[in-house]
Amino acid sequence: MHVLIVFCHPEPDSFNGALRDVAIETLTSQGHSIEISDLYAEEFNPVEGPTHFPNRADPDVFFPLTEQRHAFESGSLPGDIRREINRLERADLVILQFPLWWHAQPAMLKGWFDRVFVYGGLYSGGMRYDRGRFPDKRVICSVTTGAPASTFSRHGRSGHIVTLMWPIHYSLYYLGVQVLPPQITYGVQGGGLSYEAEAEFRERLEAEKSAWAQRLEGLAGESAIPFAGWSDWDERGMLDETHPWAWRL
Ligand SMILES: Cc1cc2nc3c(=O)[nH]c(=O)nc-3n(C[C@H](O)[C@H](O)[C@H](O)COP(=O)(O)O)c2cc1C
């Protein structure tokens, strides 16, 4: 299997960096090949805008989706985007490694979604959700948080983790990939901000690294998060009322 790790952290020696290294070591020792998109180290530009499109479909008004499709179809996508798409296409498994910042992915990774998930290339009106481009690709988010696990429970003070992950997971499902349940490492708050004593904190982080390694070893047997698909929606895009999930609405 070929694995792409999209690493989104400004500090290579952070705990996120340690989790990246755990993934590299574990998957390499299983015989898998690894490729890294190191967004900060590679100085990825996450801001979508007109400067990336010198050969415009519409030189007067900048419509991002129009220009993305035109650039894809005319073979004039920026080099960094072509590189990221090639990396994505090669991968059987994609690991997105990032810290939770302001209840979401860091802007750097959000911008990677904005620019790399090219309209008219990676998705379109007829090529999304369970008719998406990448039905065989599996993606997993490995996320660290500062706050402890209990606070991410339903109505907890950090917000429900399922709700916080929803926009990220749903964007990935939009591309048609299989989204695996996330690996969330809670309470990674060093630098004197920790909720626990230093020794206890360090010991827990080591255990979290082992848990990630163990999970990666068994990842092949895991099932993806179930989402509704085209056969579940009516012509208004609503869940059909005969669908088994409809009673929850
Ligand atoms: C800009 C910023 C925003 C943050 N927002 C959150 C947040 O919304 N929830 C949370 O639990 N932690 C938040 N944190 C804490 C980070 O998630 C935490 O420091 C990180 O996961 C620790 O991993 P690291 O040592 O690899 O950076 C934030 C940190 C920064 C720098």
Short mmCIF file of all heavy atoms in Angstrom, two decimals, residues 26-57:
data_model
loop_
_atom_site.label_atom_id
_atom_site.label_comp_id
_atom_site.label_asym_id
_atom_site.label_seq_id
_atom_site.Cartn_x
_atom_site.Cartn_y
_atom_site.Cartn_z
N THR A 26 5.68 2.78 11.77
CA THR A 26 4.77 1.63 11.81
C THR A 26 4.46 1.13 10.41
O THR A 26 4.53 -0.07 10.13
CB THR A 26 3.45 2.03 12.52
OG1 THR A 26 3.78 2.64 13.76
CG2 THR A 26 2.57 0.82 12.75
N LEU A 27 4.12 2.06 9.52
CA LEU A 27 3.69 1.65 8.18
C LEU A 27 4.87 1.15 7.35
O LEU A 27 4.74 0.21 6.57
CB LEU A 27 2.97 2.81 7.48
CG LEU A 27 1.64 3.20 8.17
CD1 LEU A 27 1.13 4.54 7.67
CD2 LEU A 27 0.58 2.12 7.95
N THR A 28 6.04 1.78 7.54
CA THR A 28 7.23 1.31 6.82
C THR A 28 7.59 -0.11 7.25
O THR A 28 7.92 -0.96 6.42
CB THR A 28 8.43 2.25 7.08
OG1 THR A 28 8.04 3.58 6.80
CG2 THR A 28 9.62 1.91 6.19
N SER A 29 7.49 -0.37 8.56
CA SER A 29 7.86 -1.70 9.05
C SER A 29 6.88 -2.76 8.56
O SER A 29 7.19 -3.95 8.54
CB SER A 29 7.97 -1.73 10.58
OG SER A 29 6.68 -1.64 11.13
N GLN A 30 5.68 -2.33 8.15
CA GLN A 30 4.71 -3.27 7.57
C GLN A 30 4.92 -3.43 6.06
O GLN A 30 4.14 -4.12 5.40
CB GLN A 30 3.29 -2.78 7.80
CG GLN A 30 2.80 -2.94 9.24
CD GLN A 30 1.32 -2.57 9.34
OE1 GLN A 30 0.89 -1.56 8.81
NE2 GLN A 30 0.55 -3.42 10.00
N GLY A 31 5.92 -2.72 5.51
CA GLY A 31 6.24 -2.87 4.09
C GLY A 31 5.53 -1.87 3.19
O GLY A 31 5.58 -1.99 1.96
N HIS A 32 4.86 -0.88 3.79
CA HIS A 32 4.16 0.11 2.97
C HIS A 32 5.12 1.23 2.56
O HIS A 32 6.08 1.52 3.27
CB HIS A 32 2.98 0.70 3.74
CG HIS A 32 2.01 -0.34 4.21
ND1 HIS A 32 1.39 -1.20 3.35
CD2 HIS A 32 1.56 -0.66 5.46
CE1 HIS A 32 0.60 -2.01 4.04
NE2 HIS A 32 0.69 -1.71 5.32
N SER A 33 4.84 1.88 1.44
CA SER A 33 5.65 3.04 1.02
C SER A 33 4.95 4.31 1.50
O SER A 33 3.72 4.37 1.58
CB SER A 33 5.82 3.05 -0.49
OG SER A 33 4.56 2.98 -1.13
N ILE A 34 5.78 5.33 1.81
CA ILE A 34 5.26 6.56 2.42
C ILE A 34 5.72 7.77 1.62
O ILE A 34 6.86 7.83 1.17
CB ILE A 34 5.82 6.76 3.86
CG1 ILE A 34 5.68 5.50 4.69
CG2 ILE A 34 5.21 7.98 4.52
CD1 ILE A 34 4.44 5.36 5.47
N GLU A 35 4.82 8.72 1.53
CA GLU A 35 5.14 10.02 0.93
C GLU A 35 4.59 11.08 1.88
O GLU A 35 3.54 10.87 2.48
CB GLU A 35 4.43 10.10 -0.42
CG GLU A 35 4.90 11.16 -1.33
CD GLU A 35 4.34 10.92 -2.74
OE1 GLU A 35 3.53 9.99 -2.93
OE2 GLU A 35 4.70 11.68 -3.63
N ILE A 36 5.30 12.20 2.01
CA ILE A 36 4.85 13.24 2.95
C ILE A 36 4.59 14.54 2.19
O ILE A 36 5.43 14.97 1.40
CB ILE A 36 5.92 13.54 4.01
CG1 ILE A 36 6.51 12.27 4.61
CG2 ILE A 36 5.38 14.50 5.07
CD1 ILE A 36 5.94 11.82 5.89
N SER A 37 3.44 15.13 2.48
CA SER A 37 3.21 16.54 2.10
C SER A 37 3.40 17.33 3.38
O SER A 37 2.53 17.30 4.25
CB SER A 37 1.77 16.76 1.62
OG SER A 37 1.65 16.56 0.27
N ASP A 38 4.52 18.01 3.51
CA ASP A 38 4.80 18.77 4.73
C ASP A 38 4.46 20.24 4.43
O ASP A 38 5.29 20.98 3.90
CB ASP A 38 6.27 18.58 5.11
CG ASP A 38 6.58 19.14 6.48
OD1 ASP A 38 5.85 20.05 6.93
OD2 ASP A 38 7.57 18.68 7.09
N LEU A 39 3.24 20.62 4.77
CA LEU A 39 2.70 21.88 4.24
C LEU A 39 3.49 23.10 4.66
O LEU A 39 3.75 24.00 3.85
CB LEU A 39 1.23 22.03 4.63
CG LEU A 39 0.30 20.90 4.16
CD1 LEU A 39 -1.16 21.25 4.46
CD2 LEU A 39 0.46 20.62 2.68
N TYR A 40 3.92 23.17 5.93
CA TYR A 40 4.70 24.34 6.37
C TYR A 40 6.12 24.27 5.80
O TYR A 40 6.63 25.26 5.28
CB TYR A 40 4.75 24.43 7.90
CG TYR A 40 3.49 25.00 8.51
CD1 TYR A 40 2.46 24.16 8.91
CD2 TYR A 40 3.31 26.37 8.68
CE1 TYR A 40 1.29 24.67 9.47
CE2 TYR A 40 2.16 26.89 9.24
CZ TYR A 40 1.15 26.04 9.64
OH TYR A 40 0.00 26.54 10.19
N ALA A 41 6.76 23.10 5.90
CA ALA A 41 8.15 23.00 5.43
C ALA A 41 8.25 23.28 3.94
O ALA A 41 9.23 23.86 3.46
CB ALA A 41 8.70 21.61 5.75
N GLU A 42 7.21 22.88 3.20
CA GLU A 42 7.22 23.10 1.75
C GLU A 42 6.65 24.47 1.38
O GLU A 42 6.49 24.78 0.19
CB GLU A 42 6.44 21.98 1.05
CG GLU A 42 7.14 20.64 1.17
CD GLU A 42 6.37 19.46 0.59
OE1 GLU A 42 5.16 19.59 0.34
OE2 GLU A 42 6.97 18.40 0.39
N GLU A 43 6.30 25.24 2.43
CA GLU A 43 5.74 26.59 2.24
C GLU A 43 4.57 26.60 1.26
O GLU A 43 4.52 27.41 0.34
CB GLU A 43 6.85 27.58 1.82
CG GLU A 43 7.92 27.69 2.87
CD GLU A 43 8.98 28.72 2.52
OE1 GLU A 43 9.05 29.17 1.37
OE2 GLU A 43 9.75 29.08 3.44
N PHE A 44 3.67 25.65 1.50
CA PHE A 44 2.47 25.59 0.67
C PHE A 44 1.69 26.90 0.84
O PHE A 44 1.54 27.40 1.95
CB PHE A 44 1.59 24.40 1.09
CG PHE A 44 0.34 24.29 0.26
CD1 PHE A 44 0.40 23.79 -1.03
CD2 PHE A 44 -0.89 24.70 0.76
CE1 PHE A 44 -0.75 23.70 -1.81
CE2 PHE A 44 -2.04 24.62 -0.01
CZ PHE A 44 -1.97 24.11 -1.30
N ASN A 45 1.23 27.46 -0.27
CA ASN A 45 0.42 28.69 -0.21
C ASN A 45 -1.05 28.30 -0.13
O ASN A 45 -1.61 27.81 -1.11
CB ASN A 45 0.69 29.55 -1.45
CG ASN A 45 -0.14 30.83 -1.42
OD1 ASN A 45 -1.08 30.96 -0.64
ND2 ASN A 45 0.20 31.77 -2.28
N PRO A 46 -1.69 28.52 1.04
CA PRO A 46 -3.06 28.02 1.20
C PRO A 46 -4.14 29.00 0.75
O PRO A 46 -5.33 28.71 0.90
CB PRO A 46 -3.15 27.82 2.72
CG PRO A 46 -2.27 28.89 3.28
CD PRO A 46 -1.16 29.10 2.29
N VAL A 47 -3.75 30.15 0.21
CA VAL A 47 -4.74 31.19 -0.11
C VAL A 47 -5.14 31.12 -1.59
O VAL A 47 -4.34 31.43 -2.48
CB VAL A 47 -4.18 32.60 0.22
CG1 VAL A 47 -5.24 33.66 -0.06
CG2 VAL A 47 -3.73 32.65 1.68
N GLU A 48 -6.37 30.67 -1.83
CA GLU A 48 -6.86 30.63 -3.21
C GLU A 48 -7.11 32.06 -3.71
O GLU A 48 -7.56 32.92 -2.94
CB GLU A 48 -8.16 29.80 -3.27
CG GLU A 48 -8.73 29.61 -4.65
CD GLU A 48 -7.79 28.90 -5.63
OE1 GLU A 48 -6.70 29.46 -5.89
OE2 GLU A 48 -8.13 27.83 -6.14
N GLY A 49 -6.79 32.34 -4.97
CA GLY A 49 -6.99 33.69 -5.49
C GLY A 49 -6.47 33.82 -6.91
O GLY A 49 -5.87 32.88 -7.46
N PRO A 50 -6.68 34.98 -7.51
CA PRO A 50 -6.38 35.18 -8.94
C PRO A 50 -4.92 35.00 -9.31
O PRO A 50 -4.62 34.62 -10.45
CB PRO A 50 -6.80 36.64 -9.20
CG PRO A 50 -7.38 37.16 -7.95
CD PRO A 50 -7.29 36.15 -6.87
N THR A 51 -4.00 35.22 -8.36
CA THR A 51 -2.58 35.14 -8.72
C THR A 51 -2.18 33.74 -9.22
O THR A 51 -1.18 33.60 -9.92
CB THR A 51 -1.66 35.48 -7.53
OG1 THR A 51 -2.06 34.67 -6.42
CG2 THR A 51 -1.74 36.94 -7.17
N HIS A 52 -2.98 32.72 -8.84
CA HIS A 52 -2.64 31.35 -9.25
C HIS A 52 -3.10 31.02 -10.67
O HIS A 52 -2.84 29.93 -11.16
CB HIS A 52 -3.27 30.33 -8.29
CG HIS A 52 -2.85 30.52 -6.86
ND1 HIS A 52 -1.54 30.49 -6.45
CD2 HIS A 52 -3.57 30.76 -5.75
CE1 HIS A 52 -1.47 30.69 -5.16
NE2 HIS A 52 -2.69 30.86 -4.70
N PHE A 53 -3.80 31.97 -11.30
CA PHE A 53 -4.41 31.67 -12.60
C PHE A 53 -4.05 32.74 -13.64
O PHE A 53 -4.86 33.61 -13.95
CB PHE A 53 -5.93 31.56 -12.44
CG PHE A 53 -6.36 30.50 -11.45
CD1 PHE A 53 -6.61 30.83 -10.12
CD2 PHE A 53 -6.48 29.17 -11.84
CE1 PHE A 53 -6.98 29.86 -9.21
CE2 PHE A 53 -6.85 28.19 -10.93
CZ PHE A 53 -7.10 28.55 -9.60
N PRO A 54 -2.83 32.66 -14.18
CA PRO A 54 -2.44 33.66 -15.19
C PRO A 54 -3.24 33.53 -16.50
O PRO A 54 -3.46 34.51 -17.18
CB PRO A 54 -0.95 33.40 -15.42
CG PRO A 54 -0.67 32.05 -14.83
CD PRO A 54 -1.74 31.74 -13.85
N ASN A 55 -3.67 32.30 -16.84
CA ASN A 55 -4.45 32.10 -18.07
C ASN A 55 -5.93 32.00 -17.73
O ASN A 55 -6.45 30.90 -17.58
CB ASN A 55 -4.00 30.82 -18.80
CG ASN A 55 -2.52 30.81 -19.04
OD1 ASN A 55 -1.96 31.79 -19.52
ND2 ASN A 55 -1.86 29.71 -18.67
N ARG A 56 -6.57 33.15 -17.60
CA ARG A 56 -7.93 33.17 -17.07
C ARG A 56 -8.99 32.80 -18.11
O ARG A 56 -8.91 33.21 -19.26
CB ARG A 56 -8.23 34.57 -16.53
CG ARG A 56 -7.44 34.93 -15.29
CD ARG A 56 -8.17 34.55 -14.04
NE ARG A 56 -9.30 35.44 -13.83
CZ ARG A 56 -9.21 36.60 -13.18
NH1 ARG A 56 -8.07 36.99 -12.64
NH2 ARG A 56 -10.28 37.35 -13.02
N ALA A 57 -10.02 32.06 -17.64
CA ALA A 57 -11.22 31.84 -18.46
C ALA A 57 -11.98 33.15 -18.57
O ALA A 57 -12.51 33.49 -19.62
CB ALA A 57 -12.10 30.77 -17.82
#
